Amino acid sequence: MLELPTTLPEGFRYFPGYFDASDQRAMVALLRDVVKQAPLYQPVMPRTGTPFSVQMTNCGSLGWVSDRTGYRYQREHPTTGAPWPPMPEIMLKLWEDVAECLAPPEACLVNFYGEGAKMGLHQDRDESTFEAPVVSVSLGDTALFRVGQTTRGGKTQSITLTSGDVIVFGGAARLCYHGISKVMWGSSPLLSAGGRLNLTLRRVTPF
Ligand code: MD3
Ligand code: FE
């Protein structure tokens, strides 16, 4: 594990290249199966209905959704009404390895970045507990990840996330502002049609 000079709160961990090329291909195959059962859809912002540029789906017992009425976790896919597919074993194993959390993850949000997609600075605070970390896996095209402090307008730094990288936000870093400022389209051969997938493993309810 590499220690970067960082101005971030305690609880941030970076594991560059955690998954090798063969693991990454296996994960893409598992995710192709997930999206067959729970298709990617385009969420919209609460109230305004402005579409996200990122497409989403989930696996696990709960999934994060956004629509005109708000952000929440729910048991069903918003368009098919079906339960989310189970979380693949490799993701549960990753959590056990890096999360330092006694309880298993309940949700895995899958974000797909097509050409031009990005995600503005935000906090993840729709969970009923912030005791557990959020564990993120990057697959496919390289992205510029921006992370700040726990208050808006704090000092930010950029980290280049490449395919196979894992980052963990626990402790005081759990409520840091963060976003994806850009994706270098075509930088990775992993996804045949291009783009970037990000998986975030989350605990939603207290344990
Ligand atoms: C820091 N996803 O799904 S992953 C998200 O790459 C999200 O798709 C981005 O932000 C992506 O909410 C960034 C890194 C990440 C994820 C969750 C965090 C960083 C985090 C939660 C708290 C603090
Ligand atoms: Fe987030």
Side-chain angles (χ1 to χ4, degrees):
M1 198 188 99
L2 200 109
E3 293 289 356
L4 292 177
T6 178
T7 59
L8 296 179
E10 152 290 314
F12 167 72
R13 300 280 181 278
Y14 180 33
F15 301 86
Y18 180 93
F19 289 111
D20 66 18
S22 127
D23 288 341
Q24 293 171 41
R25 284 189 295 267
M27 287 182 91
V28 170
L30 291 164
L31 289 164
R32 291 201 190 281
D33 212 51
V34 164
V35 301
K36 244 183 250 165
Q37 301 171 67
L40 288 167
Y41 66 96
Q42 191 167 32
V44 299
M45 292 295 289
R47 296 179 302 279
T48 61
T50 307
F52 284 54
S53 60
V54 174
Q55 292 176 271
M56 295 181 178
T57 189
N58 291 268
C59 55
S61 53
L62 289 168
W64 186 87
V65 299
S66 176
D67 63 18
R68 277 181 177 273
T69 71
Y71 303 136
R72 65 190 172 277
Y73 283 90
Q74 64 180 41
R75 299 200 168 274
E76 314 80 25
H77 188 286
T79 63
T80 70
W84 303 107
M87 214 181 293
E89 197 61 48
I90 189 167
M91 299 182 195
L92 299 171
K93 211 177 127 213
L94 166 67
W95 179 270
E96 278 181 27
D97 190 31
V98 302
E100 298 174 7
C101 178
L102 293 171
E106 296 169 295
C108 173
L109 172 62
V110 179
N111 293 144
F112 176 71
Y113 294 76
E115 199 158 9
K118 52 198 168 130
M119 190 180 285
L121 276 185
H122 65 278
Q123 285 176 303
D124 286 22
R125 47 184 323 147
D126 302 316
E127 301 74 25
S128 313
T129 177
F130 303 131
E131 292 282 307
V134 174
V135 174
S136 147
V137 182
S138 294
L139 293 170
D141 286 341
T142 301
L144 203 58
F145 173 64
R146 201 149 148 258
V147 55
Q149 308 298 315
T150 56
T151 51
R152 196 176 268 291
K155 193 173 195 174
T156 66
Q157 61 183 288
S158 290
I159 297 172
T160 299
L161 293 177
T162 64
S163 196
D165 289 358
V166 167
I167 50 179
V168 178
F169 283 86
R174 175 65 180 75
L175 290 171
C176 281
Y177 278 85
H178 59 277
I180 293 291
S181 29
K182 89 182 218 173
V183 175
M184 284 70 156
W185 187 258
S187 51
S188 160
L190 185 67
L191 303 175
S192 40
R196 171 174 185 266
L197 283 166
N198 180 261
L199 318 178
T200 46
L201 307 184
R202 298 136 187 275
R203 182 80 209 172
V204 179
T205 62
F207 49 96

